[in-house]
Amino acid sequence: MPGSVVAAAIDGIRQVVMVATGMDTRAFRLPIPANATVFELDEAPVLAEKQTVLDRQHATPRCRRIAVPVDLATDSWPEVLISQGFDRASRAVFVAEGLSMYLDEDENARLLDHLGALAAPASCLGIDMVSHDYLESPAVAPFFDLARSRGVYWRFGTNDPETFLAAHGWRAAVTDIFVVGRRFGRWPPPVSPRRSRRGPNA
């Protein structure tokens, strides 16, 4: 995912939209041009806590950074983003990382539709999705039981992200997390082909 933002910047894109940014620090640690703008979308308390941490570290972004407090569960957040200077006529790279699994299918569909409406031609999106098989796997059931006991629910997975994204206007090039992990030296075992791990209904 970091490579997609850098590649977009190299390609001339000057708008980066971090959807549910959390404590992400791409605006500070990636070689993003000074004339680019990173819009960080999240709930107001999250952005406030993040700013406290950044101020404590005297952190300085590499580019223009705009924190945009929004509730992504509403349909009004795109207008808030635009009011903060986002230009719908210019290309953008959108990053929605660590989010899709916490939304249900309809919420994911609505998010993709909103992003598509904001995206000028030749914009791009980086998003991660887990497989439906993973959500149903007995091997990870104890993890999900523990998460649910703490009020955390994983609601969505798909074995065919290409089709799901295409239904909402996005042409996908899917990369398996294990392939990415191996590229960065974090997944030493050999990587089996993605389709061999998909269920019979994939």
Side-chain angles (χ1 to χ4, degrees):
M1 195 78 72
S4 67
V5 173
V6 173
I10 292 172
D11 190 44
I13 292 179
R14 293 296 179 263
Q15 296 187 114
V16 181
V17 180
M18 304 296 303
V19 184
T21 185
M23 303 300 282
D24 185 272
T25 56
R26 281 177 173 84
F28 299 84
R29 60 185 173 82
L30 293 184
I32 299 173
N35 65 341
T37 302
V38 174
F39 298 92
E40 297 188 351
L41 279 61
D42 216 316
E43 297 178 349
V46 174
L47 293 175
E49 176 63 21
K50 180 176 184 175
Q51 193 60 51
T52 298
V53 174
L54 292 170
D55 291 344
R56 189 182 304 138
Q57 298 298 321
H58 306 289
T60 302
R62 292 171 174 256
C63 59
R64 187 182 184 210
R65 171 180 171 263
I66 300 177
V68 185
V70 292
D71 181 355
L72 292 167
T74 71
D75 290 321
S76 60
W77 67 263
E79 286 74 20
V80 178
L81 175 61
I82 292 169
S83 74
Q84 293 299 306
F86 178 81
D87 181 8
R88 293 177 61 182
S90 298
R91 294 186 299 159
V93 53
F94 302 91
V95 179
E97 189 176 55
L99 175 62
S100 67
M101 63 285 295
Y102 297 110
L103 307 177
D104 64 27
E105 183 170 346
D106 289 342
E107 290 168 336
N108 272 290
R110 191 160 65 249
L111 174 67
L112 292 172
D113 289 341
H114 281 316
L115 294 176
L118 289 167
S123 294
C124 53
L125 165 65
I127 187 170
D128 55 344
M129 293 182 171
V130 300
S131 69
H132 179 75
D133 290 347
Y134 181 77
L135 294 183
E136 298 296 322
S137 171
V140 292
F143 164 77
F144 290 124
D145 289 342
L146 177 61
R148 283 190 291 269
S149 73
R150 298 181 178 181
V152 178
Y153 296 87
W154 285 35
R155 297 182 168 91
F156 176 75
T158 174
N159 288 352
D160 190 0
E162 294 95 334
T163 298
F164 186 77
L165 286 159
H168 300 282
W170 294 96
R171 185 175 68 250
V174 176
T175 302
D176 196 297
I177 189 173
F178 301 114
V179 174
V180 176
R182 192 167 180 82
R183 185 184 306 156
F184 288 96
R186 300 173 184 173
W187 183 256
V191 178
S192 60
R194 170 177 161 240
R195 292 187 180 274
S196 72
R197 296 196 299 272
R198 297 168 70 183
N201 298 321

